[in-house]
Amino acid sequence: MNQTFARVRSLCPTVSVGTLTADLMDLGSELALLERAGIGLVHVDVMDGCFCPQMTVGPAYVKGLRTPLLKDVHLMVREPLDKLEGYAKAGADILTVHLESAVHIHRVLQRMGTLENAGRPGEGIARGLALNPGTPLEWLEPLLEEVDIVTLLAIDPGWGGQKFAPQTFDRVKRTQEMIASSGRQILVCVDGGVTKDNIVQIAASGADLAVTGSAVFDGKDAEGNARFMHAAMRDV
Ligand code: DX5
Ligand code: ZN
């Protein structure tokens, strides 16, 4: 197990907080409130407008996030192989690619395994593999030896205002069973549509990590929201 992945594991169960809905004009304060709330991971959604319809940020944004929080970078990017190093150099601690995004996804995961963690010299990058709601879990099986975190999307990435896909709860359970029979230490993460109303059920289903954005940065009490979501994962 690489040291960065060991750091992530030591924080679980927990939440990784997305910054897309934070106040981008005051991101330093937004990150500081996450630290005060005891959050250990900041989630950066990278969308290329090809794998999914939106375009968001790139390596410069990741590099510009000056924070002790672990940088959890979610690449919703078509054919990410030649883009991985840029995010590793920008300081990503977790890099998650989509199973659906590459013809040679096994090769992409192997390449991720060779990357140096620029923010933590001598450590590696934790390797994440994400599946959209319509992707069969069976496709995971031949890739498990190259993966540290399996992320189950509960929405189709790139469209706003979607409802949490209810089959995600069962997918978490089935993924944990698949991991148990593989004998590997792999975390399960749920991403998309996580709210105060469903996070307890998500934690109870066996998720180690949940990504949450708008449930924290709702314009009202972000620090209180972050504390609530973090506690909901830990108190199961
Ligand atoms: C899906 C992204 C998610 C999303 C989470 O497009 O991968 O990380 O931004 O945001 P909320 O929690 O607001 O659904
Ligand atoms: Zn995400």
Side-chain angles (χ1 to χ4, degrees):
M1 179 187 316
N2 78 43
Q3 286 166 284
T4 302
F5 179 47
R7 286 174 195 274
V8 177
R9 280 181 64 85
S10 70
L11 296 171
C12 289
T14 190
V15 290
S16 180
V17 180
T19 57
L20 279 193
T21 43
D23 176 358
L24 300 184
M25 293 297 286
D26 194 11
L27 209 41
S29 308
E30 302 282 66
L31 290 170
L33 79 81
L34 294 183
E35 289 173 52
R36 285 198 304 272
I39 302 300
L41 293 144
V42 57
H43 186 82
V44 179
D45 286 309
V46 176
M47 299 178 190
D48 65 357
C50 298
F51 177 72
C52 63
Q54 281 189 36
M55 286 180 79
T56 57
V57 295
Y61 177 90
V62 175
K63 190 177 174 102
L65 293 178
R66 289 186 300 281
T67 175
L69 303 187
L70 290 176
K71 295 181 180 181
D72 167 25
V73 179
H74 180 190
L75 296 179
M76 288 161 275
V77 170
R78 185 179 292 164
E79 294 303 343
L81 183 61
D82 62 355
K83 301 175 181 68
L84 299 172
E85 192 167 10
Y87 288 96
K89 285 185 174 166
D93 294 291
I94 300 171
L95 263 182
T96 296
V97 292
H98 269 261
L99 199 162
E100 311 89 355
S101 68
V103 172
H104 301 288
I105 188 63
H106 183 263
R107 174 86 190 98
V108 170
L109 291 166
Q110 285 189 316
R111 175 79 179 101
M112 284 162 76
T114 67
L115 295 173
E116 180 79 12
N117 183 327
R120 306 175 201 277
E123 299 193 17
I125 303 265
R127 294 184 287 179
L129 183 63
L131 281 73
N132 287 332
T135 301
L137 295 178
E138 290 69 24
W139 292 9
L140 268 177
E141 197 278 326
L143 300 166
L144 287 179
E145 65 185 52
E146 302 291 345
V147 171
D148 297 317
I149 304 165
V150 171
T151 293
L152 300 172
L153 271 283
I155 59 170
D156 291 294
W159 288 272
Q162 299 174 65
K163 287 271 171 278
F164 185 92
Q167 70 267 29
T168 306
F169 299 116
D170 182 54
R171 283 167 66 87
V172 169
K173 288 192 183 85
R174 285 168 51 212
T175 303
Q176 287 288 21
E177 287 161 5
M178 197 186 286
I179 290 168
S181 52
S182 77
R184 290 182 55 79
Q185 295 193 329
I186 298 173
L187 297 172
V188 176
C189 175
V190 171
D191 187 0
V194 176
T195 66
K196 287 184 175 179
D197 298 331
N198 62 23
I199 189 158
V200 171
Q201 196 179 348
I202 290 168
S205 71
D208 304 294
L209 271 167
V211 175
T212 180
S214 50
V216 170
F217 294 115
D218 64 354
K220 299 183 190 84
D221 176 14
E223 184 169 341
N225 294 339
R227 289 183 191 281
F228 177 92
M229 300 298 272
H230 187 211
M233 286 298 286
R234 301 197 71 81
D235 295 351
V236 170

